[in-house]
Amino acid sequence: METHDLTLITIVAEPVLEERITRECMQLGATGYTVIEARGRGSRGIRTGDIPGQNIRIETLVSEEVADRILTRASEKWFPHYAVVVWDTPVRVVRGEKY
Amino acid sequence: METHDLTLITIVAEPVLEERITRECMQLGATGYTVIEARGRGSRGIRTGDIPGQNIRIETLVSEEVADRILTRASEKWFPHYAVVVWDTPVRVVRGEKY
Amino acid sequence: METHDLTLITIVAEPVLEERITRECMQLGATGYTVIEARGRGSRGIRTGDIPGQNIRIETLVSEEVADRILTRASEKWFPHYAVVVWDTPVRVVRGEKY
């Protein structure tokens, strides 16, 4: 069984940001992502204009290098303007050679 | 890029417990949470009275101290009465100074 | 507060695989699982025949031994035929003695 050590980035944001965030993640080197509908409450004001409390949860499995790029982008470009929460965690991926 | 080491707590429970669990997490020091609709099956009987197999998945990013409070609460107050699964994992959060 | 170190396995796959994957996880020793509806895009072609881009995200908390069995199964039986992404991460579970 072949495994790879990768980084799982999770992003919680307003639904209106889905297209922008997933596009930028792909531009920064991600090769895929998963989006889940969620709802919530947060100190960063996770909320949307149309449906109170609704948000999205985006996950992407990336290399450490791509992870650093996405976290830097989040810190510099998303945080100053939007209610976004971003975290990463190391994971072990089966047959991760495509990431 | 500023990051903080925090703890991600995940709670899977019956939907009827959402209000209580999220309220208690906030009272114990959490500053936000995300709720996702899920379904499942488990040795702890993850199921609800109204919709078989449906449950919720709550996530909250907290400090280690708050995490210990929530896990202790789960162990002492939720587990004896409800079908709840709780786990935590260390994560790295971008600009986590608000947690 | 009693905790156990377990492995959280996450599987992202086409919806048509839900029954097979959850059944095989249980046969390999898992005692429960959670399924979440998701959508996404990936290098492994995460997509379904009926609804473009829709997929499922399965989570199961297992021992290290069961985790190895599931990852081996994924590597040998799921990957050659299906668009599946599988990863695991160590977690700390409250009162995990049932897993």
Side-chain angles (χ1 to χ4, degrees), chain B residues 19-77:
Chain B
E19 194 279 334
R20 172 177 173 172
I21 288 175
T22 55
R23 176 170 36 84
E24 294 193 21
C25 285
M26 298 296 275
Q27 287 168 347
L28 293 170
T31 59
Y33 57 82
T34 299
V35 179
I36 294 170
E37 305 284 345
R39 59 182 185 277
R41 176 177 165 186
S43 62
R44 302 220 67 238
I46 298 302
R47 62 190 174 267
T48 180
D50 37 12
I51 304 176
Q54 191 170 11
N55 55 42
I56 52 166
R57 185 183 184 281
I58 301 167
E59 283 182 332
T60 182
L61 281 170
V62 295
S63 67
E64 195 174 332
E65 185 189 342
V66 173
D68 280 342
R69 278 187 227 148
I70 293 174
L71 266 59
T72 300
R73 176 70 55 93
S75 178
E76 295 179 355
K77 300 291 185 186

Side-chain angles (χ1 to χ4, degrees), chain A residues 1-56:
Chain A
M1 178 183 59
E2 190 183 1
T3 63
H4 289 244
D5 292 330
L6 289 173
T7 298
L8 176 68
I9 291 187
T10 305
I11 303 163
V12 177
E14 298 175 76
V16 293
L17 296 175
E18 176 177 338
E19 194 279 334
R20 173 177 174 173
I21 289 175
T22 55
R23 176 170 36 84
E24 294 194 20
C25 285
M26 300 294 276
Q27 287 168 347
L28 293 169
T31 58
Y33 58 82
T34 299
V35 180
I36 293 170
E37 305 284 345
R39 59 182 185 278
R41 176 177 166 185
S43 63
R44 302 221 65 238
I46 298 302
R47 60 189 175 269
T48 180
D50 37 10
I51 305 176
Q54 191 169 11
N55 54 42
I56 51 165

Side-chain angles (χ1 to χ4, degrees), chain C residues 23-53:
Chain C
R23 176 170 36 84
E24 294 193 20
C25 284
M26 298 295 275
Q27 287 168 347
L28 293 169
T31 59
Y33 58 82
T34 299
V35 179
I36 293 170
E37 305 284 346
R39 59 181 185 279
R41 175 177 166 187
S43 62
R44 300 221 67 239
I46 298 302
R47 61 190 175 267
T48 179
D50 36 11
I51 304 176

Side-chain angles (χ1 to χ4, degrees), chain C residues 41-91:
Chain C
R41 175 177 166 187
S43 62
R44 300 221 67 239
I46 298 302
R47 61 190 175 267
T48 179
D50 36 11
I51 304 176
Q54 192 169 10
N55 54 43
I56 52 165
R57 185 183 185 279
I58 301 167
E59 283 180 331
T60 182
L61 282 170
V62 295
S63 67
E64 194 174 333
E65 184 190 343
V66 173
D68 280 343
R69 278 186 226 149
I70 294 175
L71 267 59
T72 300
R73 176 69 55 93
S75 178
E76 296 178 354
K77 300 291 186 185
W78 303 340
F79 271 82
H81 306 294
Y82 306 112
V84 178
V85 181
V86 181
W87 69 88
D88 72 7
T89 183
V91 299

